[in-house]
Amino acid sequence: MLDLLQGSINFLTEFYLLMSNTNRRQLFNGSSKEIRSVLEKISRYLITLNKKKVYMLRWKEIAESLPEEYKAVFLIKHESQKIKNADIGILLTSDDGSLKGFLIDNNKKVVKLESRLAWIYLVEKTLFVPDLPDEELEPTVLDFLERLAFFDDKLQRLTAWMIQSGKGLYHLDFYITGIVSRSLSLIHGFDTLLRSRNYLSALHLVRPHLDNFMRLHAAWLCSDPHDFAFKVWKGEQVTSIKDRDGKLLKDWYLKQKVSELHPWIENVYNETSGFIHFSNKHIAGAVNTKGENISACVSKNDNNVSNKDKLETIMCMIEITNCIADHIFGWVSTKRDKG
């Protein structure tokens, strides 16, 4: 009887999937209350199933492939495990190359490969704009937004691991917690604005997000990161504090130092700073020029914004978040190793 019932559910689900959205609405509106209830349950089931499939598509099974050594990854034991409960660690190989395992906790705790089902990198990789006509890039824009939004779960879990790693809490832990909170707020705002076709406002958030990474790296430049973090916590301006070389941590100096790590940052800094104050970039967003014809558009929504431009901006947000996540994991590793 149960097999028959499950078979009926499977048949109805497959039938429902084959229908167009218009036919689904017609079926729903022309059905009895009982049938509508069944259709609503099927819809909810499909939404849940799709979310699970998308979630698991992000992960790579350990039996099929392994991550690069020493690159931070999240690890789960089973498909239903959420990233908020995942381990985070690195792949290690014994000196003779015969054994592999994941270092996941304090005291150099290493677990066997077979003890975990799947892994996913902490940072997002393989970022590029496909060579396609602009109108065909819309799905890629949505995919990149999802990858950016996934950092909400990643950074929250990473921060939790930071707090519980080592033998105690430091001022730097609380400083980083503030950085992460601001980052997640900016990412959410960026996502919301871009989806509501307000690219210009979304673009404004790239610069403060870059500021997050610059101010995070500032702690790495000081001889005593914890004293630096405590001073900022108490209200002292970052720009009034000196690094280990006696240099004031001004924005231009921080830009220079982070650009030494990632050369692309200097260009992003300069370009996004141009959106803070009114400039030719804002005029270009409102005025269309084609040959000798000029037209203007006054609107709160996007005008003259290509999917390629959107993708490049999302990639900037992702890469900045990668830098933040990588720095934080470095601190987690230090706490695990030294307490």
Side-chain angles (χ1 to χ4, degrees):
M1 182 65 180
L2 288 175
D3 290 340
L4 179 62
L5 179 60
Q6 185 62 51
S8 299
I9 292 174
N10 291 341
F11 172 77
L12 285 172
T13 301
E14 291 294 331
F15 177 72
Y16 193 71
L17 278 170
L18 292 172
M19 299 178 69
S20 66
N21 288 332
T22 301
N23 288 336
R24 288 177 190 173
R25 287 193 293 269
Q26 290 176 346
L27 175 64
F28 184 86
N29 294 332
S31 300
S32 65
K33 183 177 180 181
E34 290 77 12
I35 296 297
R36 288 185 184 181
S37 177
V38 172
L39 294 174
E40 286 175 350
K41 289 179 181 178
I42 290 176
S43 295
R44 287 195 295 269
Y45 169 74
L46 290 173
I47 291 171
T48 302
L49 184 62
N50 185 55
K51 286 182 177 179
K52 287 181 178 178
K53 285 182 177 179
V54 170
Y55 178 73
M56 284 310 300
L57 282 174
R58 301 178 188 275
W59 298 82
K60 299 182 183 296
E61 291 195 17
I62 291 172
E64 297 178 359
S65 64
L66 291 174
E68 299 175 58
E69 282 194 87
Y70 307 111
K71 297 295 184 181
V73 293
F74 291 100
L75 298 156
I76 56 174
K77 296 180 180 179
H78 47 78
E79 288 189 6
S80 60
Q81 184 177 355
K82 300 297 184 183
I83 198 169
K84 67 180 181 181
N85 298 315
D87 297 313
I88 184 170
I90 56 175
L91 177 67
L92 295 177
T93 304
S94 60
D95 292 337
D96 61 4
S98 61
L99 296 174
K100 291 181 182 290
F102 290 105
L103 175 65
I104 64 167
D105 209 340
N106 298 334
N107 304 316
K108 296 181 171 58
K109 178 181 177 182
V110 178
V111 297
K112 295 180 179 179
L113 299 182
E114 57 267 26
S115 68
R116 300 296 184 269
L117 171 68
W119 60 272
I120 187 173
Y121 282 117
L122 167 63
V123 301
E124 287 292 321
K125 294 178 175 285
T126 61
L127 298 174
F128 65 93
V129 178
D131 185 18
L132 295 171
D134 196 74
E135 62 272 12
E136 296 180 22
L137 290 175
E138 182 67 24
T140 308
V141 170
L142 297 176
D143 174 60
F144 273 40
L145 280 176
E146 289 298 321
R147 293 170 71 173
L148 177 62
F150 195 35
F151 271 111
D152 189 275
D153 292 332
K154 286 183 172 183
L155 290 181
Q156 288 198 50
R157 184 54 177 158
L158 178 61
T159 305
W161 267 112
M162 177 188 72
I163 296 299
Q164 70 186 62
S165 293
K167 299 177 182 179
L169 293 174
Y170 300 84
H171 290 123
L172 186 58
D173 289 316
F174 299 108
Y175 183 84
I176 289 175
T177 300
I179 291 284
V180 172
S181 292
R182 186 185 185 216
S183 295
L184 295 183
S185 293
L186 290 171
I187 289 171
H188 177 68
F190 177 88
D191 181 275
T192 302
L193 289 167
L194 205 61
R195 290 180 189 273
S196 61
R197 296 180 60 238
N198 195 339
Y199 173 79
L200 188 61
S201 295
L203 190 57
H204 276 255
L205 300 184
V206 178
R207 176 62 182 83
H209 194 39
L210 179 56
D211 180 75
N212 280 341
F213 176 54
M214 291 165 55
R215 299 301 172 100
L216 175 60
H217 187 64
W220 268 243
L221 299 175
C222 295
S223 55
D224 188 342
H226 309 295
D227 181 60
F228 163 82
F230 183 69
K231 287 178 179 178
V232 178
W233 191 359
K234 290 301 180 180
E236 192 167 340
Q237 295 294 315
V238 171
T239 54
S240 68
I241 302 173
K242 294 182 179 181
D243 71 357
R244 65 173 67 91
D245 296 323
K247 302 286 188 179
L248 286 172
L249 297 169
K250 301 288 188 179
D251 278 0
W252 68 266
Y253 180 67
L254 292 176
K255 179 192 72 171
Q256 175 184 316
K257 300 304 287 186
V258 296
S259 295
E260 291 173 3
L261 298 175
H262 307 285
W264 54 266
I265 285 180
E266 183 170 8
N267 183 59
V268 171
Y269 180 95
N270 294 335
E271 287 294 320
T272 54
S273 294
F275 281 91
I276 302 301
H277 304 289
F278 183 79
S279 68
N280 65 314
K281 298 180 185 297
H282 299 91
I283 299 174
V287 178
N288 304 320
T289 57
K290 290 184 179 181
E292 298 180 353
N293 298 320
I294 299 178
S295 62
C297 176
V298 179
S299 172
K300 62 179 178 290
N301 296 122
D302 295 341
N303 176 52
N304 284 341
V305 180
S306 67
N307 284 319
K308 182 180 179 181
D309 287 339
K310 292 179 182 178
L311 280 173
E312 290 177 347
T313 306
I314 301 168
M315 286 170 61
C316 284
M317 289 291 286
I318 291 175
E319 290 291 8
I320 293 167
T321 314
N322 279 343
C323 295
I324 292 170
D326 193 55
H327 262 48
I328 297 173
F329 182 73
W331 170 233
V332 171
S333 298
T334 299
K335 289 187 70 177
R336 286 176 171 179
D337 188 44
K338 298 183 178 179

